[in-house]
Amino acid sequence: MRIVLLGAPGAGKGTQAKKLIEKFVIPQISTGDILRQAVADQTQLGKEAKAFMDSGGLVPDSVVIGLVKERLSQDDCKKGFILDGFPRNTAQAETLDGVLASVNMPLEVALSVDVDFDVLLKRLTGRRTCRSKDCGQMYNIYFSPAKKEGFCDKCGTELYQRDDDKEATIKKRLDVYKAQTEPLIDYYSKKGILKRVEGVGDIAEIFNKICAILK
Ligand code: AP5
Ligand code: MG
Ligand code: ZN
């Protein structure tokens, strides 16, 4: 299964990807997670990316595309993958199509998780994330709190709030989504692989709807 997850910041791409990787036993490739890890590790990549991420803008295509190409070439992607947060503009989508065509592994589904903009702000300000890079589970202080406040249910690691989940940055991220990423819905629709799911309601119910779509 080769899937792209589309959706605005806070739509639940990461939340659903965590469930999908368990069910389908394929890797999640989240460019946001890879970049945040690089920032935390203070690598050259992290230093380049940080200012773009803190402002809510996109990291340059050349940087992100290089990352994804490298990740897709690893063995565990041969049986499929879930791209989360990539592609984010038409140039990235076109490059991805070229890369996958060259290895004869075209995308099968682009799944858009649709959530109204007014819901997203509360989701993002309330988000807390597990700091463990092997886990990275998301919680929400309003909608899906951890059992023990501040710690991950799955692995016990402390939870943190993302630097870009501040109100002003969230607004910028939503603007960038509208201008640059939303057009990809049309892009994949024209290719005949677009599916859509309503991303509001119970997380498990949304997951069931996604599984039905992917069958
Ligand atoms: P990235 O990490 O991709 O962030 P994003 O696209 O803004 O998306 P989020 O991770 O915020 O949302 P999500 O849909 O995963 O929601 P989640 O499941 O966590 O990118 C961050 C930055 O990195 C970018 O701004 C950019 O600078 C850079 N970057 C990344 N990729 C790039 C690329 N390709 N090109 C250039 N730059 C790139 O859920 C959100 C919250 O809601 C959680 O608290 C969750 O518990 C809760 N929630 C989820 N589902 C539900 C539900 N059904 N009901 C109630 N609450 C729910
Ligand atoms: Mg995410
Ligand atoms: Zn954890």
Side-chain angles (χ1 to χ4, degrees):
M1 184 76 67
R2 294 182 295 273
I3 314 170
V4 162
L5 287 180
L6 294 172
K13 302 180 294 295
T15 299
Q16 295 299 332
K18 295 275 175 233
K19 297 173 86 66
L20 287 167
I21 59 176
E22 278 179 21
K23 183 175 165 96
F24 291 101
V25 200
I26 51 176
Q28 171 195 10
I29 304 176
S30 160
T31 41
D33 287 353
I34 295 171
L35 292 167
R36 272 185 294 282
Q37 191 60 47
V39 171
D41 294 342
Q42 299 185 17
T43 62
Q44 185 56 39
L45 168 67
K47 285 176 192 154
E48 271 176 60
K50 187 173 186 321
F52 296 104
M53 298 176 78
D54 286 349
S55 75
L58 295 184
V59 174
D61 289 348
S62 56
V63 175
V64 185
I65 287 170
L67 274 181
V68 172
K69 271 191 191 164
E70 208 273 321
R71 184 64 188 87
L72 284 173
S73 71
Q74 291 171 18
D75 264 356
D76 63 340
C77 293
K78 292 212 168 73
K79 52 188 180 185
F81 49 79
I82 300 162
L83 280 166
D84 160 10
F86 182 95
R88 253 183 153 88
N89 58 31
T90 310
Q92 292 182 11
E94 285 169 350
T95 307
L96 177 67
D97 282 343
V99 169
L100 294 176
S102 72
V103 288
N104 212 6
M105 292 191 346
L107 284 176
E108 291 162 290
V109 178
L111 178 69
S112 171
V113 183
D114 299 330
V115 176
D116 279 345
F117 267 39
D118 48 355
V119 180
L120 298 171
L121 189 64
K122 194 162 185 193
R123 283 200 188 174
L124 291 169
T125 51
R127 172 166 52 194
R128 300 293 181 272
T129 307
C130 171
R131 217 183 258 291
S132 161
K133 63 178 164 194
D134 300 321
C135 176
Q137 181 61 44
M138 277 75 66
Y139 297 87
N140 196 288
I141 56 171
Y142 307 114
F143 305 113
S144 49
K147 292 197 183 84
K148 182 179 174 208
E149 196 189 323
F151 294 92
C152 180
D153 292 351
K154 285 188 170 170
C155 74
T157 306
E158 64 161 355
L159 306 181
Y160 78 104
Q161 186 167 19
R162 270 171 48 175
D163 287 341
D164 61 349
D165 280 345
K166 299 187 189 85
E167 208 166 315
T169 317
I170 291 170
K171 293 219 166 79
K172 172 79 190 295
R173 286 161 59 205
L174 292 173
D175 287 347
V176 169
Y177 172 78
K178 271 253 177 251
Q180 301 204 41
T181 313
E182 206 172 52
L184 293 182
I185 291 179
D186 204 37
Y187 178 93
Y188 287 117
S189 170
K190 285 187 177 132
K191 293 198 178 285
I193 60 166
L194 180 75
K195 306 274 182 195
R196 304 188 80 146
V197 67
E198 174 72 52
V200 181
D202 187 60
I203 290 171
E205 276 166 25
I206 296 167
F207 181 64
N208 288 339
K209 284 191 276 180
I210 291 176
C211 292
I213 289 170
L214 295 178
K215 251 199 201 139

